[in-house]
Amino acid sequence: MFFQSISRLFSVLTAEPSLWEELWEYFNDKYFTPDYGDYTYIEISESSMVSLPAIVFAFFIGINIAAIAAIFNKRVLGDFARALISVEAHTPETAQTLEQLGYLKNTAIRSSLKNGTTLRRVVKCVEEEAYYAELEKKRREFEASNTDPKAKFKEIPFSMDVSTAHFYIPEDQKYTAELKFEKKGTNWLTFAGVFIGSIVISLLVIWVVPELLQMLDNFLGMFSGTN
């Protein structure tokens, strides 16, 4: 299982058993290994016994990664969206640069605007819109004048210079942006609650599933005895 693999890796790296390895083994056996009983009417294969902790662990990792991503999106990337809204940058004419908003050296914002999708769902770039408008004009002119059916219009994707580009949030996207990047309720205290809650749920699943299987086996046994 996952925890056994970690303990073995640690043992290899340290070349001898350690207290950490013993602790891993103890917690793995006590809390993360389902205590399956001997069932008469249902079959539990060795593969299914191993897969339950793996599924629970995947759930634990997934929900905590999602919680961290939500905090990052709403509090880090959301700051930029809220800054655009606060200066009422809702048209190409009122668009702002990163330098004007104080985000010129913010690596996370720069990367999200250039390569990400979270901000770009509501944040528009003036230069990008102008580029594609001109590209569409050239495409129509090419199709109108082209006589070779095999010839294709070559579209070169827009390359954004985030240092000089102007950004804005359209008026009709303002409310969506406010909801999407509302930072209330997304903080590290909330994450701590999610982290602890996911641990509790994971342990409950591992502990409860064998009991549920035993109840099911007993239930099937009642019908078998009746028949």
Side-chain angles (χ1 to χ4, degrees), residues 105-118:
K105 297 182 179 181
N106 191 310
T107 304
I109 300 299
R110 292 172 64 91
S111 177
S112 181
L113 288 171
K114 189 168 185 177
N115 303 309
T117 58
T118 302

Side-chain angles (χ1 to χ4, degrees), residues 173-186:
Q173 293 288 316
K174 176 183 174 182
Y175 181 67
T176 300
E178 289 175 338
L179 288 179
K180 182 178 179 64
F181 296 108
E182 171 59 53
K183 67 177 182 179
K184 184 178 180 180
T186 52

Side-chain angles (χ1 to χ4, degrees), residues 144-159:
S145 60
N146 177 51
T147 57
D148 184 0
K150 294 183 179 181
K152 294 184 178 180
F153 179 71
K154 185 177 181 180
E155 295 189 6
I156 301 175
F158 175 71
S159 180

Side-chain angles (χ1 to χ4, degrees), residues 90-108:
H90 300 309
T91 64
E93 293 73 27
T94 58
Q96 301 280 302
T97 64
L98 292 180
E99 185 175 13
Q100 289 174 307
L101 294 170
Y103 291 92
L104 184 61
K105 297 182 179 181
N106 191 310
T107 304

Side-chain angles (χ1 to χ4, degrees), residues 120 125 127-129 131-132 156-161 165:
R120 297 308 308 278
C125 173
E127 287 76 10
E128 182 179 26
E129 291 180 326
Y131 176 85
Y132 281 114
I156 301 175
F158 175 71
S159 180
M160 181 188 296
D161 183 355

